[in-house]
Amino acid sequence: MNTAVILAAIKKHVALDEAEANFLAEQLIPKKLKPGELIEESGEMTKFMIYVNSGCLMTYYTDKDGTDHVIQFATTGWWTGDLHSLQKKVPSIYSTRALVESEILLLPKVSLELVLEKYLKFERYFRIIFQNALVVSQQRIIHSYASTAEERYLHFSEKYSNLEQYVPLKYIASYLGITPEFLSKIRRKLMEK
Amino acid sequence: MNTAVILAAIKKHVALDEAEANFLAEQLIPKKLKPGELIEESGEMTKFMIYVNSGCLMTYYTDKDGTDHVIQFATTGWWTGDLHSLQKKVPSIYSTRALVESEILLLPKVSLELVLEKYLKFERYFRIIFQNALVVSQQRIIHSYASTAEERYLHFSEKYSNLEQYVPLKYIASYLGITPEFLSKIRRKLMEK
DNA sequence: GAATGTTCTTGAACTAGGTTAAGTTCTGGT
DNA sequence: ACCAGAACTTAACCTAGTTCAAGAACATTC
């Protein structure tokens, strides 16, 4: 089981002794995902948080018309999953699937609670993780309100240049909040320059 | 000094003994704000987190054209401020001002760090606060992508019906990501029904 | 209570981005 | 090597929301 990656990542935020590291490692359930494989489906109860060891997953919301809206791409080192469903025990509104062959670690709800209860240091770790995620989420709101689609695409290309290689453009369009057709127009316009 | 409100709110999430409660209370700096008063300005370093004891503040981002974009209304019981600036010591991109007469409590950066260091229990409290804020922030992203302006306005009116009484419509329009003119049109259309 | 500045509304002209539908190019499976 | 299906593009037309400019309704101050 490969928990070296996650433990190293955690240690960038909080110092862990051997007992703490081992205890967490024991709770994690490794899993491999094939491209396109669904790990969590909307309508079901979320049972765990997902840590991406390698590869890339996307989390998306399906609206009443059946249109998907990508709300997050999670690459190596990111957590994903539906926190609201996990905590409030309501059916999830998100689905999560792998975009490429991926290795993930699952942290079940009870394990999370156990870890947090036993070693308060993990509270600090998740406080920092959620705090950072909140900052990113708020910056995304600003971007979606204060920038044009073209600006948002340029910003995305710059920030996630590696993603653009293997993520289908239609999902990138969805993440940017536009249609694939309009993304096409933007890309052509930029090529012509 | 009125710290009863915040301590009661915290105790809904974590149990505090007297020492912990007093220690936090000592760090908080109470302040009264007049309507329109600015408590934090973009471009400056954020020096504290802000807890709203009573009243209502708004946090907004001013874009390159000078247009303001409201990213949060903080009413009684909410935390606000620029987390990114606070932690990374970069100038804030947000401004925060009172919309009505308000009472706030300031938690300076050093005090926050001290509190978190001394009593890990506060890590849990802020982990929960940030986790909830993250959920709300992500739901707002979904709304802005999957709903029309009219739907967003109806949702807002329902969820923050009290706010609509005293918050100028132009700020509500800004929060919804539309122009005041278009909000006017929406409101008229809804009245006619 | 007139004067002045905001906020809110109206309407006409405009544009960023959506829709529909058809055509290409890419891909994976047999 | 071929086929089927998915991903991507193109183009014509459509619409939600913007812009600009002017006026109406409120506040606030002297």
Side-chain angles (χ1 to χ4, degrees):
Chain A
M1 185 196 320
N2 185 8
T3 54
V5 177
I6 187 173
L7 290 174
I10 293 176
K11 283 174 182 168
K12 278 186 192 154
H13 293 112
V14 296
L16 293 185
D17 63 32
E18 201 143 335
E20 291 160 340
N22 288 338
F23 188 77
L24 177 71
E26 277 167 24
Q27 311 291 324
L28 295 167
I29 303 164
K31 196 165 162 68
K32 290 196 182 202
L33 298 177
K34 291 196 182 64
E37 196 175 340
L38 209 59
I39 176 69
E40 205 190 301
E41 191 157 16
S42 70
E44 297 185 356
M45 227 59 85
T46 297
K47 291 180 280 298
F48 33 68
M49 286 185 67
I50 302 166
Y51 184 84
V52 184
N53 231 336
S54 72
C56 180
L57 318 195
M58 71 171 194
T59 297
Y60 58 97
Y61 165 76
T62 307
D63 70 20
K64 52 188 182 318
D65 305 327
T67 309
D68 292 344
H69 301 269
V70 176
I71 67 143
Q72 192 192 12
F73 292 115
T75 51
T76 305
W78 289 60
W79 286 96
T80 190
D82 185 338
L83 290 172
H84 189 240
S85 170
L86 191 74
Q87 263 223 328
K88 299 288 162 61
K89 291 181 182 169
V90 293
S92 177
I93 58 169
Y94 301 125
S95 302
T96 297
R97 72 169 72 237
L99 286 168
V100 294
E101 191 122 354
S102 305
E103 256 185 75
I104 59 174
L105 298 171
L106 303 178
L107 181 59
K109 179 179 165 65
V110 283
S111 302
L112 172 63
E113 285 163 358
L114 195 64
V115 167
L116 290 174
E117 196 61 47
K118 188 155 179 183
Y119 299 111
L120 279 174
K121 207 180 276 179
F122 287 110
E123 290 282 5
R124 170 170 307 189
Y125 170 68
F126 282 108
R127 190 262 300 163
I128 293 169
I129 290 297
F130 292 148
Q131 185 175 332
N132 291 342
L134 179 59
V135 168
V136 170
S137 182
Q138 288 188 338
Q139 284 174 345
R140 197 172 158 205
I141 291 174
I142 289 179
H143 259 270
S144 83
Y145 283 158
S147 308
T148 63
E150 182 175 329
E151 287 165 342
R152 273 178 279 149
Y153 171 62
L154 287 170
H155 181 255
F156 178 90
S157 305
E158 203 175 315
K159 203 165 176 187
Y160 300 95
S161 53
N162 51 323
L163 272 190
E164 219 181 336
Q165 319 288 311
Y166 58 83
V167 175
L169 283 173
K170 61 173 188 168
Y171 296 138
I172 294 177
S174 169
Y175 179 83
L176 295 173
I178 57 177
T179 57
E181 291 89 341
F182 191 59
L183 179 54
S184 243
K185 275 186 211 174
I186 290 173
R187 282 162 55 84
R188 180 170 47 141
K189 194 181 146 206
L190 291 172
M191 295 277 281
E192 284 168 359
K193 281 183 182 170
Chain B
M1 185 195 321
N2 185 8
T3 54
V5 177
I6 187 174
L7 290 173
I10 294 176
K11 283 175 182 168
K12 277 184 193 154
H13 293 113
V14 296
L16 292 186
D17 62 34
E18 200 143 337
E20 291 160 339
N22 288 338
F23 188 77
L24 178 71
E26 277 166 24
Q27 311 291 325
L28 295 167
I29 303 165
K31 197 165 161 65
K32 292 198 180 198
L33 297 178
K34 292 196 183 63
E37 197 175 339
L38 209 59
I39 175 70
E40 206 188 301
E41 191 157 15
S42 70
E44 298 186 356
M45 227 59 86
T46 297
K47 290 179 281 296
F48 34 69
M49 287 186 66
I50 301 166
Y51 184 83
V52 183
N53 230 337
S54 72
C56 180
L57 317 196
M58 70 170 197
T59 297
Y60 58 97
Y61 165 76
T62 307
D63 69 20
K64 53 190 182 313
D65 304 327
T67 310
D68 291 344
H69 301 269
V70 176
I71 67 143
Q72 192 194 12
F73 292 114
T75 51
T76 305
W78 290 61
W79 285 96
T80 189
D82 185 337
L83 290 172
H84 189 239
S85 170
L86 191 73
Q87 264 224 327
K88 299 288 162 63
K89 293 181 180 168
V90 293
S92 177
I93 57 169
Y94 302 126
S95 303
T96 298
R97 72 169 71 236
L99 287 167
V100 294
E101 192 121 353
S102 305
E103 256 184 75
I104 59 174
L105 298 172
L106 302 179
L107 181 60
K109 180 178 164 63
V110 283
S111 301
L112 172 63
E113 283 164 0
L114 196 65
V115 167
L116 291 174
E117 197 59 48
K118 187 154 180 181
Y119 299 111
L120 280 174
K121 206 180 276 175
F122 287 109
E123 290 283 5
R124 170 170 304 187
Y125 170 67
F126 282 107
R127 190 263 299 166
I128 294 169
I129 290 296
F130 292 147
Q131 186 176 332
N132 291 342
L134 179 59
V135 167
V136 170
S137 183
Q138 287 187 338
Q139 284 174 345
R140 196 171 158 206
I141 290 174
I142 290 179
H143 260 269
S144 82
Y145 283 158
S147 309
T148 63
E150 183 174 330
E151 286 164 342
R152 274 178 278 148
Y153 171 62
L154 286 170
H155 181 254
F156 178 90
S157 306
E158 204 175 313
K159 204 165 174 188
Y160 300 95
S161 52
N162 52 324
L163 271 190
E164 219 182 334
Q165 319 289 309
Y166 58 83
V167 175
L169 284 174
K170 62 172 188 167
Y171 295 139
I172 294 177
S174 170
Y175 179 83
L176 296 173
I178 58 177
T179 57
E181 291 91 338
F182 192 59
L183 178 54
S184 241
K185 278 183 208 172
I186 291 173
R187 282 161 55 83
R188 181 171 45 145
K189 194 180 146 207
L190 291 172
M191 296 276 280
E192 282 166 2
K193 278 181 183 166

